[in-house]
Amino acid sequence: MATNMTSRTLLFSCSVLLTVVSTTWSAERGKTYLVRSVSPTTVTIDGAIGDTEWPAEGWEKGFAFPWRDRETPRTEMCCVCDGKRLLFAFRCDDADLVLRGNLPEDEMAVADGDRVELFFGKDADMKEYYCFEMAPAAAVLDYRAAFRRKFDTTWDCAGLTLAGKTHRGGYVVEGAIPLSTLEEMCGADLLAGEPIRVGAFRAEYSHVDGEEPDAAWISWIHPDSEKPDFHIPSALGTFRIQK
């Protein structure tokens, strides 16, 4: 078992308590993930998912391989908000972890192995969006981007907290983003219930004897592309924080 934790700290505040309740379908853009409140002390970002930390009904389980005909290993995501931060957790089954490079110090190495991802779009055409690629070693490759595939890897998310833990058969990634940072990224009034554009993904790597690891891609939405690509508008659904 391996445990790591990284934290970037800034002070932010807001006045409303919120939490995730369910996933529904919306005409806005595919899936919409609905959010309600939890107490500020409910969730601890430590890479360990407690029995009562994350609401049982809040786990998004509709992940699949959009571009491969194969059974999807358990991939589940839950998000809540404690009034100051959007908190998220992923739990993934994986009996063959591929972790590359010097993690968590070398963030670019995150892109070469198993990880989960969250994208946040500021506009419908992804003229500006923000990406978080997160490895089980609690390392994050975070960057600002513009369609199509223009990446600024010098950008770092203010106030991001991240934790990860591997175990026999899989891994967990937990994190939190200040609402103030998220509102700046997405250009939306979250507390007024405005939706934000979000993509949730997983990179599933497998060892291959004598070859480079095989990479397969898992998503909560089937993007409108014949080839693997998450950096397109149809890869994003919405999160809506309820009043």
Side-chain angles (χ1 to χ4, degrees):
M1 180 179 295
T3 307
N4 280 291
M5 188 169 184
T6 61
S7 174
R8 302 186 189 119
T9 56
L10 286 178
L11 296 177
F12 294 89
S13 62
C14 64
S15 60
V16 180
L17 300 178
L18 307 154
T19 191
V20 172
V21 289
S22 63
T23 300
T24 61
W25 287 96
S26 166
E28 289 179 283
R29 185 182 290 279
K31 284 183 177 178
T32 294
Y33 195 77
L34 302 178
V35 184
R36 285 187 181 175
S37 66
V38 293
S39 165
T41 60
T42 300
V43 176
T44 301
I45 303 301
D46 57 4
I49 295 178
D51 292 338
T52 60
E53 277 191 306
W54 301 90
E57 70 278 11
W59 287 96
E60 166 60 44
K61 301 180 181 181
F63 287 84
F65 288 106
W67 299 287
R68 290 200 180 183
D69 184 15
R70 56 183 279 196
E71 184 179 355
T72 307
R74 183 177 74 155
T75 306
E76 299 176 354
M77 175 195 68
C78 190
C79 298
V80 298
C81 184
D82 67 0
K84 295 182 179 180
R85 306 167 296 168
L86 180 73
L87 304 100
F88 56 86
F90 286 86
R91 53 189 181 193
C92 302
D93 286 351
D94 194 336
D96 179 22
L97 279 173
V98 177
L99 303 177
R100 307 289 292 271
N102 185 22
L103 299 175
E105 290 81 4
D106 181 10
E107 71 172 26
M108 295 305 297
V110 172
D112 293 326
D114 283 297
R115 63 192 184 274
V116 293
E117 303 180 0
L118 285 172
F119 289 8
F120 296 90
K122 196 165 190 174
D123 56 85
D125 298 322
M126 294 179 76
K127 294 178 181 178
E128 184 176 347
Y129 63 104
Y130 298 83
C131 305
F132 299 79
E133 303 189 17
M134 299 165 287
V140 59
L141 173 58
D142 51 354
Y143 54 95
R144 179 169 46 203
F147 189 82
R148 181 173 182 95
R149 291 183 171 276
K150 299 175 182 178
F151 302 146
D152 175 13
T153 57
T154 65
W155 179 84
D156 291 317
C157 179
L160 173 68
T161 301
L162 190 67
K165 181 176 292 186
T166 62
H167 56 83
R168 181 176 297 179
Y171 63 93
V172 168
V173 172
E174 292 184 318
I177 303 172
L179 286 185
S180 298
T181 300
L182 200 58
E183 289 179 350
E184 182 178 350
M185 287 162 45
C186 297
D189 186 347
L190 302 179
L191 300 182
E194 293 182 3
I196 58 174
R197 299 169 181 86
V198 183
F201 318 111
R202 174 182 172 183
E204 164 52 17
Y205 276 61
S206 302
H207 287 98
V208 179
D209 290 342
E211 301 179 22
E212 283 295 303
D214 174 67
W217 309 100
I218 296 171
S219 176
W220 77 320
I221 287 174
H222 195 312
D224 185 16
S225 174
E226 293 183 0
K227 298 180 179 180
D229 193 353
F230 293 149
H231 295 268
I232 54 177
S234 63
L236 305 186
T238 60
F239 278 16
R240 184 187 295 276
I241 298 178
Q242 292 186 329
K243 298 179 182 179

